Amino acid sequence: MHATVERRSSLAQLKGLLTLMRPRQWVKNGFVFAPLLFTGEFLQSGSIQRVLLATLLFCVASSATYIVNDLHDIERDRRHPKKSRTRPLASGLVTPLQALVLLVLLYAVLVAAWFFAPSVILVILGYMLLNLAYTFVLKHQPVLDIFTIAIGFVLRVYAGAMALEVPVSSWMFVTTLCLALYLAAVKRRQELASSGSEGREVLRQYTPALIDRYAEMSATGALLFYSLFVISARPEMVITVPLVLYGLFRYWFVVESHGGGESPTDALLSDWQLLLTVTLWVGVSAWAIWPH
């Protein structure tokens, strides 16, 4: 009986450590694949392997930043009605010492990866430093907090480009930035709607109307720059513009009607139409770029 209880406790702690790494959020690292798709190198096995490695390393790095953030916010999370139950550190399922050991292991993986993909690790280092600044300073600064989140997505695209040793086009940079600003603005909007200004200190300096304008401007910019990119550089991909437009519309519908948006990953995975739209966009884009 005692052994069974210990085994269950160990399994619960392992589950807590896995939750601490937030594997559901790894979906965001799909942005690393963008250069692979748009350069047409998805037909080369070597390129696929390099981008897969970059994506895995970004998963390790993003998990490390989540652990640092949770360690820093542990007392605040314990007072939060939802996070006190869902965050492993705040709920007591994982101890700070266990989190620190896991964090050191993740850092060790990244240090070892320097010998295999130094250019990718340099981008990841920039991402981690940016997130450290976000955890301790920038998340309390209005507007800067939204841009910091967005730049994290841009760095994911740069990591994919570094893995392939190709430059990031100006179109891809500005489109990714606008799309990421849209997602970040909607995230702040939903946090403000669900928990008010008590959820984050920075939310006290926002209003729903202001964040709505940020989101509208960013979504318009993302659609405009993507369309200009397609028309000027990839006319064969013009068929994907309606899919992008529908995806933006559908995402906003999920946010308004279903209360999604606080976590873009959850919104994507919980709505089959949104997931299907993204899948179709990837498939149609690959078909359009495929050498005929």
PDB file of all heavy atoms in Angstrom, residues 255-291:
ATOM      1  N   VAL A 255     -12.499  34.117 -30.020  1.00  0.00           N
ATOM      2  CA  VAL A 255     -12.211  34.999 -28.888  1.00  0.00           C
ATOM      3  C   VAL A 255     -13.496  35.599 -28.321  1.00  0.00           C
ATOM      4  O   VAL A 255     -13.730  35.582 -27.113  1.00  0.00           O
ATOM      5  CB  VAL A 255     -11.241  36.124 -29.315  1.00  0.00           C
ATOM      6  CG1 VAL A 255     -11.149  37.197 -28.232  1.00  0.00           C
ATOM      7  CG2 VAL A 255      -9.865  35.543 -29.595  1.00  0.00           C
ATOM      8  N   GLU A 256     -14.353  36.120 -29.196  1.00  0.00           N
ATOM      9  CA  GLU A 256     -15.567  36.802 -28.764  1.00  0.00           C
ATOM     10  C   GLU A 256     -16.623  35.838 -28.243  1.00  0.00           C
ATOM     11  O   GLU A 256     -17.269  36.088 -27.222  1.00  0.00           O
ATOM     12  CB  GLU A 256     -16.145  37.625 -29.920  1.00  0.00           C
ATOM     13  CG  GLU A 256     -15.344  38.847 -30.286  1.00  0.00           C
ATOM     14  CD  GLU A 256     -15.518  39.979 -29.287  1.00  0.00           C
ATOM     15  OE1 GLU A 256     -16.416  39.901 -28.439  1.00  0.00           O
ATOM     16  OE2 GLU A 256     -14.728  40.945 -29.355  1.00  0.00           O
ATOM     17  N   SER A 257     -16.825  34.734 -28.947  1.00  0.00           N
ATOM     18  CA  SER A 257     -17.942  33.842 -28.633  1.00  0.00           C
ATOM     19  C   SER A 257     -17.605  32.747 -27.625  1.00  0.00           C
ATOM     20  O   SER A 257     -18.458  32.337 -26.838  1.00  0.00           O
ATOM     21  CB  SER A 257     -18.461  33.188 -29.922  1.00  0.00           C
ATOM     22  OG  SER A 257     -18.888  34.166 -30.845  1.00  0.00           O
ATOM     23  N   HIS A 258     -16.368  32.274 -27.663  1.00  0.00           N
ATOM     24  CA  HIS A 258     -15.994  31.136 -26.823  1.00  0.00           C
ATOM     25  C   HIS A 258     -15.037  31.509 -25.696  1.00  0.00           C
ATOM     26  O   HIS A 258     -14.593  30.639 -24.941  1.00  0.00           O
ATOM     27  CB  HIS A 258     -15.367  30.025 -27.678  1.00  0.00           C
ATOM     28  CG  HIS A 258     -16.277  29.532 -28.762  1.00  0.00           C
ATOM     29  ND1 HIS A 258     -15.815  28.828 -29.860  1.00  0.00           N
ATOM     30  CD2 HIS A 258     -17.617  29.653 -28.925  1.00  0.00           C
ATOM     31  CE1 HIS A 258     -16.835  28.536 -30.653  1.00  0.00           C
ATOM     32  NE2 HIS A 258     -17.930  29.027 -30.109  1.00  0.00           N
ATOM     33  N   GLY A 259     -14.677  32.782 -25.619  1.00  0.00           N
ATOM     34  CA  GLY A 259     -13.785  33.202 -24.537  1.00  0.00           C
ATOM     35  C   GLY A 259     -12.359  32.746 -24.724  1.00  0.00           C
ATOM     36  O   GLY A 259     -11.585  32.687 -23.772  1.00  0.00           O
ATOM     37  N   GLY A 260     -11.964  32.399 -25.961  1.00  0.00           N
ATOM     38  CA  GLY A 260     -10.582  32.011 -26.219  1.00  0.00           C
ATOM     39  C   GLY A 260      -9.710  33.229 -26.374  1.00  0.00           C
ATOM     40  O   GLY A 260     -10.135  34.362 -26.182  1.00  0.00           O
ATOM     41  N   GLY A 261      -8.467  33.020 -26.716  1.00  0.00           N
ATOM     42  CA  GLY A 261      -7.568  34.135 -26.978  1.00  0.00           C
ATOM     43  C   GLY A 261      -6.569  34.405 -25.884  1.00  0.00           C
ATOM     44  O   GLY A 261      -5.482  34.907 -26.143  1.00  0.00           O
ATOM     45  N   GLU A 262      -6.922  34.083 -24.627  1.00  0.00           N
ATOM     46  CA  GLU A 262      -5.949  34.281 -23.551  1.00  0.00           C
ATOM     47  C   GLU A 262      -4.745  33.389 -23.781  1.00  0.00           C
ATOM     48  O   GLU A 262      -3.621  33.721 -23.427  1.00  0.00           O
ATOM     49  CB  GLU A 262      -6.596  34.004 -22.201  1.00  0.00           C
ATOM     50  CG  GLU A 262      -5.728  34.376 -21.017  1.00  0.00           C
ATOM     51  CD  GLU A 262      -6.473  34.353 -19.696  1.00  0.00           C
ATOM     52  OE1 GLU A 262      -7.716  34.337 -19.712  1.00  0.00           O
ATOM     53  OE2 GLU A 262      -5.802  34.356 -18.644  1.00  0.00           O
ATOM     54  N   SER A 263      -5.008  32.214 -24.390  1.00  0.00           N
ATOM     55  CA  SER A 263      -3.934  31.337 -24.842  1.00  0.00           C
ATOM     56  C   SER A 263      -4.171  31.036 -26.314  1.00  0.00           C
ATOM     57  O   SER A 263      -5.107  30.288 -26.650  1.00  0.00           O
ATOM     58  CB  SER A 263      -3.908  30.030 -24.041  1.00  0.00           C
ATOM     59  OG  SER A 263      -3.028  29.101 -24.649  1.00  0.00           O
ATOM     60  N   PRO A 264      -3.384  31.628 -27.230  1.00  0.00           N
ATOM     61  CA  PRO A 264      -3.572  31.343 -28.656  1.00  0.00           C
ATOM     62  C   PRO A 264      -3.501  29.852 -28.976  1.00  0.00           C
ATOM     63  O   PRO A 264      -4.216  29.365 -29.852  1.00  0.00           O
ATOM     64  CB  PRO A 264      -2.426  32.113 -29.315  1.00  0.00           C
ATOM     65  CG  PRO A 264      -2.107  33.223 -28.362  1.00  0.00           C
ATOM     66  CD  PRO A 264      -2.332  32.635 -27.001  1.00  0.00           C
ATOM     67  N   THR A 265      -2.639  29.134 -28.246  1.00  0.00           N
ATOM     68  CA  THR A 265      -2.507  27.697 -28.476  1.00  0.00           C
ATOM     69  C   THR A 265      -3.804  26.974 -28.167  1.00  0.00           C
ATOM     70  O   THR A 265      -4.266  26.136 -28.952  1.00  0.00           O
ATOM     71  CB  THR A 265      -1.380  27.122 -27.608  1.00  0.00           C
ATOM     72  OG1 THR A 265      -0.151  27.775 -27.940  1.00  0.00           O
ATOM     73  CG2 THR A 265      -1.234  25.627 -27.840  1.00  0.00           C
ATOM     74  N   ASP A 266      -4.423  27.287 -27.016  1.00  0.00           N
ATOM     75  CA  ASP A 266      -5.686  26.653 -26.648  1.00  0.00           C
ATOM     76  C   ASP A 266      -6.786  27.007 -27.634  1.00  0.00           C
ATOM     77  O   ASP A 266      -7.624  26.161 -27.974  1.00  0.00           O
ATOM     78  CB  ASP A 266      -6.098  27.077 -25.232  1.00  0.00           C
ATOM     79  CG  ASP A 266      -5.173  26.511 -24.164  1.00  0.00           C
ATOM     80  OD1 ASP A 266      -4.438  25.550 -24.476  1.00  0.00           O
ATOM     81  OD2 ASP A 266      -5.179  27.030 -23.038  1.00  0.00           O
ATOM     82  N   ALA A 267      -6.799  28.258 -28.097  1.00  0.00           N
ATOM     83  CA  ALA A 267      -7.810  28.669 -29.069  1.00  0.00           C
ATOM     84  C   ALA A 267      -7.666  27.873 -30.354  1.00  0.00           C
ATOM     85  O   ALA A 267      -8.658  27.439 -30.951  1.00  0.00           O
ATOM     86  CB  ALA A 267      -7.689  30.161 -29.356  1.00  0.00           C
ATOM     87  N   LEU A 268      -6.430  27.660 -30.798  1.00  0.00           N
ATOM     88  CA  LEU A 268      -6.178  26.904 -32.024  1.00  0.00           C
ATOM     89  C   LEU A 268      -6.580  25.444 -31.864  1.00  0.00           C
ATOM     90  O   LEU A 268      -7.291  24.889 -32.709  1.00  0.00           O
ATOM     91  CB  LEU A 268      -4.698  27.000 -32.403  1.00  0.00           C
ATOM     92  CG  LEU A 268      -4.231  26.117 -33.572  1.00  0.00           C
ATOM     93  CD1 LEU A 268      -4.917  26.536 -34.859  1.00  0.00           C
ATOM     94  CD2 LEU A 268      -2.712  26.193 -33.719  1.00  0.00           C
ATOM     95  N   LEU A 269      -6.156  24.815 -30.777  1.00  0.00           N
ATOM     96  CA  LEU A 269      -6.375  23.386 -30.594  1.00  0.00           C
ATOM     97  C   LEU A 269      -7.814  23.045 -30.231  1.00  0.00           C
ATOM     98  O   LEU A 269      -8.240  21.902 -30.389  1.00  0.00           O
ATOM     99  CB  LEU A 269      -5.426  22.849 -29.511  1.00  0.00           C
ATOM    100  CG  LEU A 269      -3.932  22.947 -29.824  1.00  0.00           C
ATOM    101  CD1 LEU A 269      -3.106  22.422 -28.653  1.00  0.00           C
ATOM    102  CD2 LEU A 269      -3.589  22.189 -31.109  1.00  0.00           C
ATOM    103  N   SER A 270      -8.564  24.022 -29.745  1.00  0.00           N
ATOM    104  CA  SER A 270      -9.938  23.749 -29.314  1.00  0.00           C
ATOM    105  C   SER A 270     -10.977  24.003 -30.403  1.00  0.00           C
ATOM    106  O   SER A 270     -12.141  23.634 -30.240  1.00  0.00           O
ATOM    107  CB  SER A 270     -10.288  24.597 -28.088  1.00  0.00           C
ATOM    108  OG  SER A 270     -10.265  25.983 -28.409  1.00  0.00           O
ATOM    109  N   ASP A 271     -10.591  24.622 -31.509  1.00  0.00           N
ATOM    110  CA  ASP A 271     -11.542  24.952 -32.566  1.00  0.00           C
ATOM    111  C   ASP A 271     -11.147  24.226 -33.850  1.00  0.00           C
ATOM    112  O   ASP A 271     -10.117  24.537 -34.463  1.00  0.00           O
ATOM    113  CB  ASP A 271     -11.571  26.471 -32.791  1.00  0.00           C
ATOM    114  CG  ASP A 271     -12.645  26.875 -33.775  1.00  0.00           C
ATOM    115  OD1 ASP A 271     -13.836  26.860 -33.400  1.00  0.00           O
ATOM    116  OD2 ASP A 271     -12.298  27.198 -34.929  1.00  0.00           O
ATOM    117  N   TRP A 272     -11.993  23.289 -34.280  1.00  0.00           N
ATOM    118  CA  TRP A 272     -11.619  22.462 -35.433  1.00  0.00           C
ATOM    119  C   TRP A 272     -11.559  23.275 -36.723  1.00  0.00           C
ATOM    120  O   TRP A 272     -10.739  22.985 -37.608  1.00  0.00           O
ATOM    121  CB  TRP A 272     -12.579  21.288 -35.581  1.00  0.00           C
ATOM    122  CG  TRP A 272     -13.982  21.648 -36.010  1.00  0.00           C
ATOM    123  CD1 TRP A 272     -15.049  21.915 -35.213  1.00  0.00           C
ATOM    124  CD2 TRP A 272     -14.449  21.773 -37.365  1.00  0.00           C
ATOM    125  NE1 TRP A 272     -16.156  22.205 -35.962  1.00  0.00           N
ATOM    126  CE2 TRP A 272     -15.826  22.118 -37.294  1.00  0.00           C
ATOM    127  CE3 TRP A 272     -13.856  21.626 -38.617  1.00  0.00           C
ATOM    128  CZ2 TRP A 272     -16.604  22.321 -38.420  1.00  0.00           C
ATOM    129  CZ3 TRP A 272     -14.630  21.828 -39.752  1.00  0.00           C
ATOM    130  CH2 TRP A 272     -15.984  22.172 -39.653  1.00  0.00           C
ATOM    131  N   GLN A 273     -12.393  24.296 -36.837  1.00  0.00           N
ATOM    132  CA  GLN A 273     -12.357  25.105 -38.059  1.00  0.00           C
ATOM    133  C   GLN A 273     -11.055  25.904 -38.160  1.00  0.00           C
ATOM    134  O   GLN A 273     -10.470  26.027 -39.242  1.00  0.00           O
ATOM    135  CB  GLN A 273     -13.556  26.061 -38.088  1.00  0.00           C
ATOM    136  CG  GLN A 273     -14.887  25.360 -38.297  1.00  0.00           C
ATOM    137  CD  GLN A 273     -15.998  26.341 -38.599  1.00  0.00           C
ATOM    138  OE1 GLN A 273     -15.796  27.310 -39.324  1.00  0.00           O
ATOM    139  NE2 GLN A 273     -17.185  26.093 -38.067  1.00  0.00           N
ATOM    140  N   LEU A 274     -10.612  26.431 -37.033  1.00  0.00           N
ATOM    141  CA  LEU A 274      -9.357  27.179 -37.029  1.00  0.00           C
ATOM    142  C   LEU A 274      -8.184  26.253 -37.320  1.00  0.00           C
ATOM    143  O   LEU A 274      -7.288  26.592 -38.108  1.00  0.00           O
ATOM    144  CB  LEU A 274      -9.179  27.855 -35.667  1.00  0.00           C
ATOM    145  CG  LEU A 274      -8.146  28.982 -35.555  1.00  0.00           C
ATOM    146  CD1 LEU A 274      -8.414  30.077 -36.571  1.00  0.00           C
ATOM    147  CD2 LEU A 274      -8.154  29.539 -34.140  1.00  0.00           C
ATOM    148  N   LEU A 275      -8.196  25.080 -36.716  1.00  0.00           N
ATOM    149  CA  LEU A 275      -7.136  24.103 -36.949  1.00  0.00           C
ATOM    150  C   LEU A 275      -7.133  23.643 -38.404  1.00  0.00           C
ATOM    151  O   LEU A 275      -6.067  23.509 -39.028  1.00  0.00           O
ATOM    152  CB  LEU A 275      -7.325  22.917 -36.010  1.00  0.00           C
ATOM    153  CG  LEU A 275      -6.196  21.886 -35.941  1.00  0.00           C
ATOM    154  CD1 LEU A 275      -4.896  22.539 -35.494  1.00  0.00           C
ATOM    155  CD2 LEU A 275      -6.565  20.753 -34.980  1.00  0.00           C
ATOM    156  N   LEU A 276      -8.319  23.430 -38.958  1.00  0.00           N
ATOM    157  CA  LEU A 276      -8.429  23.016 -40.360  1.00  0.00           C
ATOM    158  C   LEU A 276      -7.929  24.113 -41.285  1.00  0.00           C
ATOM    159  O   LEU A 276      -7.260  23.839 -42.292  1.00  0.00           O
ATOM    160  CB  LEU A 276      -9.879  22.668 -40.688  1.00  0.00           C
ATOM    161  CG  LEU A 276     -10.169  22.262 -42.146  1.00  0.00           C
ATOM    162  CD1 LEU A 276      -9.379  21.010 -42.524  1.00  0.00           C
ATOM    163  CD2 LEU A 276     -11.665  22.036 -42.351  1.00  0.00           C
ATOM    164  N   THR A 277      -8.218  25.371 -40.953  1.00  0.00           N
ATOM    165  CA  THR A 277      -7.772  26.498 -41.780  1.00  0.00           C
ATOM    166  C   THR A 277      -6.254  26.574 -41.835  1.00  0.00           C
ATOM    167  O   THR A 277      -5.671  26.761 -42.909  1.00  0.00           O
ATOM    168  CB  THR A 277      -8.341  27.821 -41.231  1.00  0.00           C
ATOM    169  OG1 THR A 277      -9.760  27.756 -41.202  1.00  0.00           O
ATOM    170  CG2 THR A 277      -7.900  28.995 -42.102  1.00  0.00           C
ATOM    171  N   VAL A 278      -5.611  26.406 -40.683  1.00  0.00           N
ATOM    172  CA  VAL A 278      -4.149  26.435 -40.640  1.00  0.00           C
ATOM    173  C   VAL A 278      -3.572  25.269 -41.435  1.00  0.00           C
ATOM    174  O   VAL A 278      -2.610  25.425 -42.201  1.00  0.00           O
ATOM    175  CB  VAL A 278      -3.648  26.394 -39.180  1.00  0.00           C
ATOM    176  CG1 VAL A 278      -2.127  26.257 -39.132  1.00  0.00           C
ATOM    177  CG2 VAL A 278      -4.080  27.650 -38.425  1.00  0.00           C
ATOM    178  N   THR A 279      -4.174  24.090 -41.273  1.00  0.00           N
ATOM    179  CA  THR A 279      -3.708  22.908 -42.004  1.00  0.00           C
ATOM    180  C   THR A 279      -3.856  23.102 -43.512  1.00  0.00           C
ATOM    181  O   THR A 279      -2.948  22.775 -44.293  1.00  0.00           O
ATOM    182  CB  THR A 279      -4.496  21.661 -41.560  1.00  0.00           C
ATOM    183  OG1 THR A 279      -4.379  21.497 -40.139  1.00  0.00           O
ATOM    184  CG2 THR A 279      -3.964  20.419 -42.257  1.00  0.00           C
ATOM    185  N   LEU A 280      -4.989  23.647 -43.925  1.00  0.00           N
ATOM    186  CA  LEU A 280      -5.215  23.903 -45.352  1.00  0.00           C
ATOM    187  C   LEU A 280      -4.232  24.942 -45.882  1.00  0.00           C
ATOM    188  O   LEU A 280      -3.714  24.808 -46.995  1.00  0.00           O
ATOM    189  CB  LEU A 280      -6.651  24.386 -45.583  1.00  0.00           C
ATOM    190  CG  LEU A 280      -7.748  23.330 -45.539  1.00  0.00           C
ATOM    191  CD1 LEU A 280      -9.118  23.991 -45.639  1.00  0.00           C
ATOM    192  CD2 LEU A 280      -7.567  22.312 -46.667  1.00  0.00           C
ATOM    193  N   TRP A 281      -3.956  25.971 -45.072  1.00  0.00           N
ATOM    194  CA  TRP A 281      -3.008  27.000 -45.510  1.00  0.00           C
ATOM    195  C   TRP A 281      -1.630  26.394 -45.751  1.00  0.00           C
ATOM    196  O   TRP A 281      -0.989  26.679 -46.764  1.00  0.00           O
ATOM    197  CB  TRP A 281      -2.915  28.108 -44.466  1.00  0.00           C
ATOM    198  CG  TRP A 281      -1.887  29.145 -44.812  1.00  0.00           C
ATOM    199  CD1 TRP A 281      -2.027  30.191 -45.672  1.00  0.00           C
ATOM    200  CD2 TRP A 281      -0.534  29.199 -44.323  1.00  0.00           C
ATOM    201  NE1 TRP A 281      -0.844  30.910 -45.750  1.00  0.00           N
ATOM    202  CE2 TRP A 281       0.079  30.314 -44.942  1.00  0.00           C
ATOM    203  CE3 TRP A 281       0.199  28.423 -43.431  1.00  0.00           C
ATOM    204  CZ2 TRP A 281       1.411  30.670 -44.680  1.00  0.00           C
ATOM    205  CZ3 TRP A 281       1.513  28.767 -43.184  1.00  0.00           C
ATOM    206  CH2 TRP A 281       2.107  29.882 -43.802  1.00  0.00           C
ATOM    207  N   VAL A 282      -1.184  25.541 -44.831  1.00  0.00           N
ATOM    208  CA  VAL A 282       0.116  24.898 -44.995  1.00  0.00           C
ATOM    209  C   VAL A 282       0.115  24.015 -46.243  1.00  0.00           C
ATOM    210  O   VAL A 282       1.042  24.056 -47.061  1.00  0.00           O
ATOM    211  CB  VAL A 282       0.485  24.063 -43.747  1.00  0.00           C
ATOM    212  CG1 VAL A 282       1.751  23.248 -43.996  1.00  0.00           C
ATOM    213  CG2 VAL A 282       0.685  24.967 -42.530  1.00  0.00           C
ATOM    214  N   GLY A 283      -0.949  23.218 -46.414  1.00  0.00           N
ATOM    215  CA  GLY A 283      -1.021  22.313 -47.551  1.00  0.00           C
ATOM    216  C   GLY A 283      -1.089  23.046 -48.879  1.00  0.00           C
ATOM    217  O   GLY A 283      -0.376  22.695 -49.824  1.00  0.00           O
ATOM    218  N   VAL A 284      -1.941  24.064 -48.954  1.00  0.00           N
ATOM    219  CA  VAL A 284      -2.088  24.817 -50.204  1.00  0.00           C
ATOM    220  C   VAL A 284      -0.812  25.593 -50.516  1.00  0.00           C
ATOM    221  O   VAL A 284      -0.383  25.672 -51.672  1.00  0.00           O
ATOM    222  CB  VAL A 284      -3.301  25.772 -50.113  1.00  0.00           C
ATOM    223  CG1 VAL A 284      -3.344  26.696 -51.328  1.00  0.00           C
ATOM    224  CG2 VAL A 284      -4.590  24.980 -50.004  1.00  0.00           C
ATOM    225  N   SER A 285      -0.159  26.154 -49.484  1.00  0.00           N
ATOM    226  CA  SER A 285       1.099  26.882 -49.695  1.00  0.00           C
ATOM    227  C   SER A 285       2.169  25.945 -50.243  1.00  0.00           C
ATOM    228  O   SER A 285       2.892  26.299 -51.186  1.00  0.00           O
ATOM    229  CB  SER A 285       1.583  27.518 -48.382  1.00  0.00           C
ATOM    230  OG  SER A 285       0.661  28.483 -47.908  1.00  0.00           O
ATOM    231  N   ALA A 286       2.282  24.754 -49.639  1.00  0.00           N
ATOM    232  CA  ALA A 286       3.275  23.794 -50.113  1.00  0.00           C
ATOM    233  C   ALA A 286       2.984  23.363 -51.549  1.00  0.00           C
ATOM    234  O   ALA A 286       3.899  23.245 -52.381  1.00  0.00           O
ATOM    235  CB  ALA A 286       3.288  22.573 -49.190  1.00  0.00           C
ATOM    236  N   TRP A 287       1.699  23.162 -51.876  1.00  0.00           N
ATOM    237  CA  TRP A 287       1.329  22.777 -53.244  1.00  0.00           C
ATOM    238  C   TRP A 287       1.673  23.884 -54.234  1.00  0.00           C
ATOM    239  O   TRP A 287       2.144  23.614 -55.342  1.00  0.00           O
ATOM    240  CB  TRP A 287      -0.173  22.464 -53.284  1.00  0.00           C
ATOM    241  CG  TRP A 287      -0.673  22.194 -54.673  1.00  0.00           C
ATOM    242  CD1 TRP A 287      -0.600  21.007 -55.372  1.00  0.00           C
ATOM    243  CD2 TRP A 287      -1.299  23.142 -55.558  1.00  0.00           C
ATOM    244  NE1 TRP A 287      -1.147  21.157 -56.623  1.00  0.00           N
ATOM    245  CE2 TRP A 287      -1.595  22.444 -56.773  1.00  0.00           C
ATOM    246  CE3 TRP A 287      -1.643  24.474 -55.437  1.00  0.00           C
ATOM    247  CZ2 TRP A 287      -2.213  23.081 -57.838  1.00  0.00           C
ATOM    248  CZ3 TRP A 287      -2.270  25.105 -56.503  1.00  0.00           C
ATOM    249  CH2 TRP A 287      -2.556  24.405 -57.693  1.00  0.00           C
ATOM    250  N   ALA A 288       1.411  25.140 -53.833  1.00  0.00           N
ATOM    251  CA  ALA A 288       1.681  26.271 -54.734  1.00  0.00           C
ATOM    252  C   ALA A 288       3.170  26.454 -54.985  1.00  0.00           C
ATOM    253  O   ALA A 288       3.590  26.803 -56.102  1.00  0.00           O
ATOM    254  CB  ALA A 288       1.076  27.543 -54.146  1.00  0.00           C
ATOM    255  N   ILE A 289       3.977  26.228 -53.958  1.00  0.00           N
ATOM    256  CA  ILE A 289       5.432  26.432 -54.090  1.00  0.00           C
ATOM    257  C   ILE A 289       6.105  25.206 -54.696  1.00  0.00           C
ATOM    258  O   ILE A 289       7.190  25.301 -55.274  1.00  0.00           O
ATOM    259  CB  ILE A 289       6.034  26.748 -52.696  1.00  0.00           C
ATOM    260  CG1 ILE A 289       5.439  28.050 -52.151  1.00  0.00           C
ATOM    261  CG2 ILE A 289       7.549  26.873 -52.754  1.00  0.00           C
ATOM    262  CD1 ILE A 289       5.840  28.359 -50.728  1.00  0.00           C
ATOM    263  N   TRP A 290       5.460  24.046 -54.589  1.00  0.00           N
ATOM    264  CA  TRP A 290       6.037  22.784 -55.071  1.00  0.00           C
ATOM    265  C   TRP A 290       6.471  22.942 -56.535  1.00  0.00           C
ATOM    266  O   TRP A 290       5.693  23.399 -57.366  1.00  0.00           O
ATOM    267  CB  TRP A 290       5.000  21.690 -54.964  1.00  0.00           C
ATOM    268  CG  TRP A 290       5.552  20.294 -54.985  1.00  0.00           C
ATOM    269  CD1 TRP A 290       6.091  19.628 -56.053  1.00  0.00           C
ATOM    270  CD2 TRP A 290       5.617  19.394 -53.879  1.00  0.00           C
ATOM    271  NE1 TRP A 290       6.492  18.377 -55.697  1.00  0.00           N
ATOM    272  CE2 TRP A 290       6.208  18.192 -54.365  1.00  0.00           C
ATOM    273  CE3 TRP A 290       5.248  19.464 -52.544  1.00  0.00           C
ATOM    274  CZ2 TRP A 290       6.432  17.089 -53.538  1.00  0.00           C
ATOM    275  CZ3 TRP A 290       5.457  18.377 -51.730  1.00  0.00           C
ATOM    276  CH2 TRP A 290       6.038  17.212 -52.220  1.00  0.00           C
ATOM    277  N   PRO A 291       7.699  22.538 -56.838  1.00  0.00           N
ATOM    278  CA  PRO A 291       8.162  22.644 -58.239  1.00  0.00           C
ATOM    279  C   PRO A 291       7.409  21.698 -59.151  1.00  0.00           C
ATOM    280  O   PRO A 291       7.360  20.502 -58.893  1.00  0.00           O
ATOM    281  CB  PRO A 291       9.656  22.252 -58.134  1.00  0.00           C
ATOM    282  CG  PRO A 291       9.767  21.482 -56.867  1.00  0.00           C
ATOM    283  CD  PRO A 291       8.751  22.031 -55.924  1.00  0.00           C
TER     284      PRO A 291
END
